[in-house]
Amino acid sequence: MEQAETSLPTLEIEHLSFRYQRREELAIRDISLTVHPGEIVLIAGASGCGKTTLARCINGLNPRSYRGDLQGSIRICGRDIRELKLVEVSQMVGTVLQDPERQILGTKVINEVAFGLENLALPREEVLERVDQAMARLRISDLRGRDTFLLSGGEKQKVAVAGVLAMRPRLLMLDEPLASLDPASARETLDLVRELADEGMAILMIEHRVEDVLSIRPDRILFMDGGEIKYLGPLAGLAGVVDYHAVKLPVAMTMAMAVKDPPPPRISMLPSGQGEKTTLVEFRAVNFGYGDERNVLKDVNLKINRGDVIAVLGANGAGKTTLVKHAIGLLKPSAGDVLVDGKSTHELSIAQVAAMLGYVFQSPSHMLFAPTVRDELSFGPKNLKHPPHEIARDVAEAIRIVHLEGREEDPPLALSFGQQKRVSIASILSMRSRILVMDEPTAGQDYRNFMSFMNAIVQLPNFESILFITHDIDLAVVYANRVLLVNDGRVVRDGSPYEVLQDLDLLVENRLVPTSLLKENLLHYPRTGTFLRAEHLAHAVMLN
Amino acid sequence: MLASWQYRERNSFVQSFDPRAWLIFIAMFIFSAFLFWDMRYLLFFFLTALFFVLRSGVRWKESKRAWLFIGGFILFFSLLTFLTGRGSSEFFTEEHLIREFTAKFSILGWTPTLRVTAEKTAYAISMLLRVFSIAALTILIPYTLNPALYGITFHGLGMPDKFAFAMDLTMRFVPTFARDFQLTMDAQKARGYELEKVEGGLIAQIRKLAPLVVPVTIQAVAGSEDIIDAMDLRAFGVTKRTWIQQLQYRRRDYVLIGFGVLLMLVSISLAMFGLGQYYVPGFLL
């Protein structure tokens, strides 16, 4: 990439405030920030803190596409953003959106990478040259003629970045780029961002899982809360200002802070799962393939027992979702059998399985439809023909668990994404199934929110077993009592969190990256005999 | 994210043409077929369509669902027209009875009777030939048109950039919609929803489709906002754009277009002379 010709800051923001049209309050207020070429600034904060609004002001979508009132000034490479057209801004500021799925427009990789350059009407030869350079830069030249639709999550992310880099921006802005990636793909993206910064590009990275981004050594961290800057400076200074419940910090930092607070209450997991370990779901030599393709699941044998809290870990495309969809009968094995409560899913309708096993899909937007939250939550139990007085009781209970009291009459579709996700979970809770299955329950949630509802769910009295799919090793460390490691359609390891996660080489082989919380837990395991969350670990090991 | 149709490189006769030539030909073919009601003329169109289908390299296995769905639809409506005699009455006033079937019961004094007449039969056959010819080539479009070339194809047909890209997105909206629909269907099934058990009157039935229709619609709207942002962020529509793909007409494309033009000119001339209109073959009378 080109070095900046001058020593001008790439981005200068002074006293920036923004208020969306038809909103009373400011979305962000009095933001000042200067970013120089080669600098990485990490923007952290909980959902609704104003990160996205800030990003949209910088890339020009606010107020051009999202109308509102912008006060203060933004200068990009010395030029006032107000005097620039969006097309000019888009050549200086490259934006990688949260979900590459939402950014990719081209059918083939090459079309996607070329899209911006085509729009700038550069000569065809130059477009092709720059496209080849950008792809070589990201080491994805071999993807050139592939269908974007069929790429893995990590590949999609790189293609999206290539499409932005081809336009040779001075400032690269990434909005939670890791959210949909498995840890190894996330690590590759981060390494790349570091390289780009080293070559002189200014980087703004928005991410609330601070710990996950530290490997790129951000120069400064900007912490936002309620639309304002609460902290701007090096990582070390963050400890004094930020709430460790709101942002995921490296474990050492969290522990140092948590040890000064009173210990949080212990969580009693799965109160209904105690006692006899009866088998609830059984996979017998399950094989599955879509059409002509090679098998996605290969000879899976598995028992889900009463009392199990299972984390299913694995890379993108490992077969986790396919495996779990078999448990509810949405997919039926091509060979072998899945037994739910002793009966084969071949002989059960999905509705029959649903009475036993509740399945929360990854994206709430695929299921929410009702005019009110209450109706949404009543839908499942009504389908299962529960009596009305039970429905009323169970719906009220589910609303309480996900902290949506007072929202009963609101339309679910008008809620924030985090709230919608909680409605989607509650709509399964109200069915009072015996087993709860969740696909990426924490995706798109900020740290505080997902820790809070995961805490509530594992303590619920209705479930005899819980199973969740995740990329997040820490979720397995904190909540699971059993871990399934899935790779290439096979269960490669099945055991207690300690048994599976202590083998760090195994994790790396399976495209997972050990976290600081895991390492800290392994270090103290001889003393604690169990995995603990950072707060508990702090009190267990730092006080004595 | 937008999904794609099941296009693949087939190395077939049909896919050897420039996509523009192929679309132009299909348009002219369909226009011409619409001019006729005579089953002898329509048989020609039917055979031509069949030729292209067989030379498309599209296998039965991959396109089975499209053929069965659209084929079933056409058969159903042709049969309905045949049984009721509606829709065809503008073509004939007099009917020649071939056979009459009378039910052995009557409802409120009305005895269901099926009068198979030469005119209705001829109409039904013509209708089938006509609609199948048109549908067959239309079904081929998604399988034989490279999605990577949608934009440049429409651009090459003379549409402005914005229009051409809009067409590109629209073409891909259909499979995307299908994918979202499937995901929503699965999510609602997991909540005990059973489409087969939707019952009640028409209004009640439509209301009970809300769990499918609402999420899919919302997805489509939200998805289109994402698309607009992604386009804005990469300077779409500010100037006349470059298209990196290039299309080149070759001799065979001119031949195909020439054939289409000829077909259309001959068809128009015949139609102007009143030829090829509704016809009942002698052996039916």
Side-chain angles (χ1 to χ4, degrees), chain A residues 59 61 65-66 87 90 101-105 107-108 110-112 114-116 118-122 124 127 148-149 156 163 167 292 328 330 349-351 354 361 365-369 376 379-380 383 413 427-428 431, chain B residues 1-4 61 146-148 165 168-169 172 179-180 183-184 186-194 210-211 214-215 218-219 225-227 229-246:
Chain A
N59 65 25
L61 285 182
S65 296
Y66 299 89
V87 50
S90 71
E101 293 253 328
R102 296 169 56 179
Q103 178 154 23
I104 292 179
L105 297 165
T107 313
K108 301 276 179 189
I110 177 158
N111 301 132
E112 173 57 27
F115 182 75
E118 290 179 309
N119 292 336
L120 296 175
L122 296 177
R124 182 171 177 272
V127 174
T148 48
F149 171 56
K156 280 180 189 156
M167 297 177 79
D292 293 345
I328 193 173
L330 281 172
S349 72
I350 296 163
F361 275 67
S365 49
H366 283 124
M367 61 182 280
L368 300 180
F369 73 97
E376 191 72 59
F379 178 68
N383 287 332
L413 291 166
S427 70
I428 301 300
M431 291 164 67
Chain B
M1 177 171 184
L2 291 166
S4 274
K61 209 176 157 187
N146 184 348
F165 197 74
D168 183 325
L169 294 173
R172 292 191 284 146
R179 182 200 53 185
D180 286 345
L183 269 169
T184 296
D186 282 353
Q188 305 304 33
K189 275 184 179 170
R191 296 164 81 191
Y193 176 78
E194 288 173 295
V214 175
I218 298 288
Q219 287 267 306
E225 280 181 6
D226 290 339
I227 289 172
D229 277 357
M231 288 165 72
D232 278 347
L233 285 175
R234 284 192 288 158
F236 181 80
V238 289
T239 170
K240 199 168 151 39
R241 78 196 294 269
T242 309
W243 297 80
I244 51 166
Q245 297 97 340
Q246 288 176 321

Side-chain angles (χ1 to χ4, degrees), chain A residues 129-351:
Chain A
E129 193 188 313
R130 284 217 213 171
V131 165
D132 285 338
Q133 281 173 3
M135 286 198 290
R137 183 73 199 69
L138 296 180
R139 296 177 282 276
I140 53 168
S141 301
D142 54 322
L143 299 181
R144 202 171 196 273
R146 293 263 300 276
D147 286 317
T148 48
F149 171 56
L150 299 174
L151 301 175
S152 74
E155 288 169 337
K156 280 180 189 156
Q157 178 76 265
K158 284 183 197 160
V159 169
V161 175
V164 169
L165 283 189
M167 297 177 79
R168 297 187 181 156
R170 301 295 186 77
L171 173 71
L172 181 64
M173 198 156 59
L174 303 107
D175 187 355
E176 300 197 21
L178 312 180
S180 57
L181 299 184
D182 63 51
S185 306
R187 182 58 64 88
E188 286 163 24
T189 300
L190 290 171
D191 289 346
L192 177 84
V193 168
R194 180 71 253 173
E195 278 177 45
L196 292 171
D198 291 341
E199 287 163 19
M201 195 176 283
I203 310 275
L204 279 182
M205 166 88 90
I206 300 173
E207 183 62 61
H208 64 88
R209 300 181 197 199
V210 173
E211 175 184 47
D212 302 359
V213 200
L214 293 182
S215 68
I216 58 171
R217 304 185 306 281
D219 297 280
R220 280 182 298 157
I221 298 187
L222 186 159
F223 179 68
M224 289 181 75
D225 191 19
E228 291 176 89
I229 295 185
K230 284 281 144 68
Y231 176 75
L232 177 59
L235 174 71
L238 191 60
V241 244
V242 56
D243 178 357
Y244 62 90
H245 297 102
V247 175
K248 187 174 173 188
L249 299 169
V251 70
M253 227 161 142
T254 307
M255 285 171 71
M257 290 155 82
V259 78
K260 294 179 200 140
D261 291 339
R266 287 277 170 154
I267 285 180
S268 61
M269 301 268 265
L270 222 57
S272 313
Q274 309 306 318
E276 210 185 327
K277 285 251 167 202
T278 43
T279 299
L280 301 172
V281 179
E282 183 174 0
F283 283 64
R284 286 188 187 160
V286 171
N287 283 277
F288 177 78
Y290 294 96
D292 293 345
E293 289 173 54
R294 63 184 178 80
N295 276 0
V296 183
L297 291 186
K298 295 162 190 162
D299 204 28
V300 174
N301 285 291
L302 177 66
K303 279 182 185 172
I304 300 173
N305 302 314
R306 226 175 108 88
D308 283 346
V309 180
I310 302 176
V312 181
L313 288 174
N316 290 333
K320 304 186 296 282
T321 299
T322 308
L323 176 82
V324 169
K325 279 190 173 171
H326 275 81
I328 193 173
L330 281 172
L331 298 172
K332 316 261 175 174
S334 340
D337 218 345
V338 177
L339 306 179
V340 177
D341 208 16
K343 292 188 208 80
S344 165
T345 56
H346 283 295
E347 289 146 27
L348 294 169
S349 72
I350 296 163

Side-chain angles (χ1 to χ4, degrees), chain A residues 360 367 373-381 386 389-408 415 418-433 436 452-454 456-457 460-463, chain B residues 191:
Chain A
V360 183
M367 61 182 280
V373 169
R374 190 192 304 282
D375 289 350
E376 191 72 59
L377 269 52
S378 312
F379 178 68
H386 289 186
H389 66 277
E390 279 185 26
I391 295 180
R393 183 197 64 203
D394 296 340
V395 165
E397 167 81 359
I399 286 176
R400 194 182 56 74
I401 291 162
V402 298
H403 307 298
L404 285 171
E405 295 103 329
R407 296 281 193 176
E408 290 87 346
L415 301 175
Q419 289 167 333
Q420 288 190 1
K421 182 90 186 180
R422 273 143 59 204
V423 173
S424 76
I425 292 172
S427 70
I428 301 300
L429 298 180
S430 64
M431 291 164 67
R432 289 197 85 85
S433 45
L436 179 68
S452 140
F453 74 66
M454 284 299 289
I457 285 170
L460 286 181
N462 20 349
F463 298 114
Chain B
R191 296 164 81 191

Side-chain angles (χ1 to χ4, degrees), chain A residues 426-497:
Chain A
S427 70
I428 301 300
L429 298 180
S430 64
M431 291 164 67
R432 289 197 85 85
S433 45
R434 291 165 60 195
I435 309 170
L436 179 68
V437 174
M438 297 181 282
D439 193 347
E440 296 281 1
T442 62
Q445 294 284 303
D446 71 38
Y447 184 65
R448 186 200 295 273
N449 250 326
F450 77 64
M451 291 302 274
S452 140
F453 74 66
M454 284 299 289
N455 283 344
I457 285 170
V458 294
Q459 296 182 81
L460 286 181
N462 20 349
F463 298 114
E464 293 168 37
S465 175
I466 296 175
L467 182 147
F468 55 88
I469 295 177
T470 186
H471 290 318
D472 185 347
I473 290 189
D474 284 353
L475 216 54
V477 168
V478 172
Y479 293 106
N481 59 23
R482 182 173 164 196
V483 173
L484 292 181
L485 190 57
V486 178
N487 194 354
D488 195 22
R490 291 177 208 279
V491 175
V492 290
R493 201 61 72 86
D494 178 359
S496 74

